[in-house]
Amino acid sequence: MKTAVIYSRTSSSGYQIHRQDTKRQVADLQAYADRSQMQVVKVFEEHISGAKKNSEREVLYECLTFAEAEKVDEVLCSEGSRMGRSTWEVLETIKRCIDKHINVYLQKENIHILREDGSVDPMMAVYISCLSMANEFERDSIKYRLNSGRAQYIRNGGQLGRKKGSVKTKEQKEKQYKEVLTYLRKDYSIRVTAKLTNVSIATVQRLKTEFEL
């Protein structure tokens, strides 16, 4: 039986109310693996902005390193845009897998990078490049519209930032994040603390810095 790992990513932590999570991606990819009679040996879930460079995506790096070390047959991902913020980064990630003879499956596009005999389909590079460029264009368009909307809001007298009185005191944070601070004081890592308390990694990092833990 072939082995596989799942890599899923969303722009924000699903632990926070109304934020995205990776459950749907993982469930869909697990279902695909089951239908394809592949054994999923590990699931990697990352909560980080799609605008971040791959060098900042620790979980993606862990996923690829694990797949290489364990000689996993395939990396399963919901779509190409999850594997990099730009066309070049997506292609770089895929090339790394190809160099290690690891196939990549992109569910949204319903494509494999390698053929059944393990050879590379030369048209895949062209296809993925086009898809990645389209994703970049869409992301840039969304960014432009958001910035334009903010500028108009400010011109009409609106104010950005926190409302007056909304900043919490250190004492309030001590009370609200008591469990988080307890784990940090026991030298638990930021990532482990976030998982144990269902608080985002970014928030745990800020608390660690603010409370000098």
Side-chain angles (χ1 to χ4, degrees):
M1 179 180 287
K2 289 185 177 181
T3 57
V5 294
I6 289 174
Y7 172 72
S8 60
R9 181 193 65 77
T10 58
S11 296
S12 54
S13 174
Y15 297 135
Q16 299 181 28
I17 298 174
H18 304 312
R19 295 288 185 92
Q20 299 173 334
D21 64 33
T22 56
K23 291 180 181 178
R24 178 187 57 78
Q25 291 180 41
V26 173
D28 289 348
L29 291 169
Q30 181 64 64
Y32 167 79
D34 292 342
R35 291 195 303 272
S36 304
Q37 296 185 325
M38 284 190 290
Q39 179 187 2
V40 174
V41 294
K42 195 163 185 178
V43 175
F44 295 85
E45 301 175 74
E46 187 153 47
H47 304 286
I48 192 170
S49 169
K52 294 290 186 181
K53 297 179 181 178
N54 279 12
S55 59
E56 300 176 84
R57 302 184 183 192
E58 295 181 5
V59 178
L60 176 60
Y61 176 80
E62 291 174 9
C63 174
L64 298 177
T65 301
F66 176 88
E68 292 167 0
E70 300 299 321
K71 300 187 185 306
V72 170
D73 295 303
E74 199 157 328
V75 174
L76 310 180
C77 190
S78 64
E79 57 184 279
S81 63
R82 305 295 178 186
M83 306 191 79
R85 70 169 185 171
S86 68
T87 303
W88 305 116
E89 289 194 330
V90 172
L91 292 175
E92 184 180 70
T93 301
I94 290 175
K95 183 178 184 302
R96 176 175 173 177
C97 292
I98 290 173
D99 289 345
K100 297 295 182 179
H101 307 291
I102 299 171
N103 205 349
V104 177
Y105 172 70
L106 305 178
Q107 188 171 44
K108 181 180 179 181
E109 295 84 359
N110 192 29
I111 58 174
H112 285 88
I113 306 306
L114 301 180
R115 297 190 179 107
E116 285 294 326
D117 62 2
S119 63
V120 179
D121 185 339
M123 288 304 297
M124 284 301 99
V126 177
Y127 184 50
I128 291 169
S129 296
C130 292
L131 289 172
S132 299
M133 290 179 70
N135 289 329
E136 278 189 73
F137 178 77
E138 181 181 7
R139 186 166 58 244
D140 290 343
S141 296
I142 292 172
K143 184 178 179 180
Y144 172 79
R145 290 196 295 270
L146 288 173
N147 289 337
S148 178
R150 290 191 189 100
Q152 183 177 2
Y153 176 72
I154 292 171
R155 284 196 301 270
N156 292 334
Q159 294 183 346
L160 300 178
R162 291 177 181 269
K163 294 181 180 179
K164 187 176 180 180
S166 65
V167 178
K168 295 178 181 177
T169 65
K170 195 168 184 178
E171 289 73 21
Q172 289 174 320
K173 292 178 184 178
E174 176 87 43
K175 183 177 181 179
Q176 180 179 356
Y177 297 106
K178 180 179 179 181
E179 187 179 13
V180 173
L181 295 172
T182 297
Y183 282 117
L184 290 175
R185 286 171 178 141
K186 291 181 179 180
D187 292 328
Y188 281 73
S189 70
I190 292 173
R191 189 177 298 280
V192 170
T193 299
K195 288 184 178 180
L196 290 173
T197 59
N198 287 351
V199 174
S200 71
I201 291 176
T203 299
V204 176
Q205 177 66 69
R206 285 197 297 271
L207 290 169
K208 182 178 177 68
T209 301
E210 182 176 349
F211 286 85
E212 300 179 346
L213 299 175

